[in-house]
Amino acid sequence: MENSEIKISICHLYPDLLNIYGDMGNVLALKNRLLWRDIEVEVSEVHAGERVNYKKHDIYFIGGGQDQQQIAAAMELQKNKDAIFKAAVDNESVFLGICGGYQLLGHYYQPYEGDKLSGIGLLDVYTEAGKTRFIGNVTAQAKFLKRKTIVGFENHSGLTYLNSGAEPFMKVKIGNGNNGKDKSEGARYKNVFGTYLHGPLLPKNPELCDYLISLAIRKKYGCEISLLKLNDDIETFAHKDRVGVKY
Ligand code: GLN
């Protein structure tokens, strides 16, 4: 299959509500790494009050944010719960949720003060705020990548715990990850990934970005294409600069 025959549609969920620490850089990384390979790409945004068209998109992204914005995003997500489940479970579309967005893909987020926010339960995880915030650089390992090391930045008070329906996305080497106790970072179910890692994550971890792109192409076209190698000197520099950096 030729690259020119491929078209990937990316859906950015609630960019006005959840977009902190440059999270939208993840969407730019996905988009540009497709364009640089002459693969057609379309980016749509879904805002409060709008419906998700589950038939249209191949990759969905939701970022992190403050607790206040998370309340609004939580209510909006409920309205699109059925469409998101169709996309993620029936179509096996790729999802990436960061921090607050990750928490809302789980069953619930209980802030330290205030009401519990219902998540949509796409990821079999739940989150309860602890007394301290975890703030710092993270080095983790994703076992499904050739170059396993992932770098990112975490800032959250939520402590996330995985139930049996979700597997850890990564293993923490430096930093706290899901809860600071069990060394797990993020969660995965099918092609749905949630993580606490801002950074933004994908520009600094190009292999992970390409992995998500490959999953989306495989799911849509049922075939494996070998992605053209890009010049990743700048991305690799940014990545290596953070590997092993003390918390
Ligand atoms: N409310 C969340 C927490 O502090 C989300 C933070 C974030 O998205 N950066 O745990």
Side-chain angles (χ1 to χ4, degrees):
M1 183 165 204
E2 299 294 319
N3 283 8
S4 58
E5 294 169 79
I6 299 173
K7 181 176 175 182
I8 292 295
S9 169
I10 300 171
C11 177
H12 190 170
L13 296 165
Y14 313 117
D16 301 335
L17 295 171
L18 297 177
N19 179 22
I20 206 166
Y21 309 124
D23 279 343
M24 74 164 300
N26 293 304
V27 175
L28 292 176
L30 288 162
K31 177 182 163 190
N32 285 325
R33 294 183 76 79
L34 285 158
L35 288 178
W36 291 334
R37 294 171 166 120
D38 291 326
I39 296 174
E40 201 182 331
V41 54
E42 179 188 72
V43 179
S44 316
E45 295 182 345
V46 166
H47 299 272
E50 294 176 353
R51 306 306 297 239
V52 170
N53 181 349
Y54 69 90
K55 290 187 187 146
K56 190 171 167 202
H57 311 292
D58 309 299
I59 304 177
Y60 293 79
F61 175 77
I62 182 164
Q66 313 285 343
D67 280 13
Q68 203 53 39
Q69 279 74 42
Q70 237 183 315
I71 296 172
M75 290 190 312
E76 291 300 323
L77 274 173
Q78 291 302 330
K79 298 181 204 162
N80 277 309
K81 184 174 168 175
D82 290 350
I84 289 173
F85 266 76
K86 282 194 181 110
V89 181
D90 301 349
N91 299 350
E92 299 199 19
S93 298
V94 174
F95 275 72
L96 177 63
I98 309 285
C99 202
Y102 162 40
Q103 293 170 348
L104 296 178
L105 294 181
H107 296 294
Y108 67 84
Y109 168 53
Q110 173 64 66
Y112 196 63
E113 279 169 355
D115 296 337
K116 185 191 266 191
L117 305 185
S118 294
I120 57 170
L122 180 58
L123 286 171
D124 194 11
V125 308
Y126 62 94
T127 304
E128 288 169 358
K131 285 195 192 117
T132 46
R133 287 196 84 76
F134 292 149
I135 308 174
N137 291 294
V138 175
T139 301
Q141 301 237 294
K143 63 174 191 253
F144 51 83
L145 297 179
K146 215 183 285 162
R147 193 176 68 185
K148 301 184 172 20
T149 304
I150 298 285
V151 291
F153 171 78
E154 63 181 339
N155 183 352
H156 56 105
S157 60
L159 305 173
T160 298
Y161 297 95
L162 274 57
N163 293 325
S164 57
E167 56 175 324
F169 183 174
M170 305 171 218
K171 193 170 178 201
V172 175
K173 293 291 172 190
I174 298 174
N176 286 287
N178 282 329
N179 49 56
K181 286 183 218 120
D182 63 17
K183 299 276 174 206
S184 69
E185 208 305 306
R188 178 180 187 173
Y189 165 67
K190 291 182 181 275
N191 293 335
V192 180
F193 299 82
T195 172
Y196 274 111
L197 301 189
H198 300 279
L201 179 68
L202 298 182
K204 281 188 193 170
N205 298 285
E207 196 186 339
L208 176 61
C209 191
D210 286 352
Y211 179 80
L212 299 182
I213 288 172
S214 298
L215 281 181
I217 293 174
R218 194 188 310 155
K219 169 242 130 192
K220 183 165 189 179
Y221 296 98
C223 67
E224 210 73 53
I225 68 153
S226 66
L227 292 173
L228 191 77
K229 210 172 149 20
L230 300 173
N231 179 342
D232 282 334
D233 289 353
I234 293 172
E235 290 81 351
T236 304
F237 179 82
H239 176 93
K240 284 195 174 153
D241 185 63
R242 297 287 94 184
V243 174
V245 171
K246 284 219 168 56
Y247 197 65

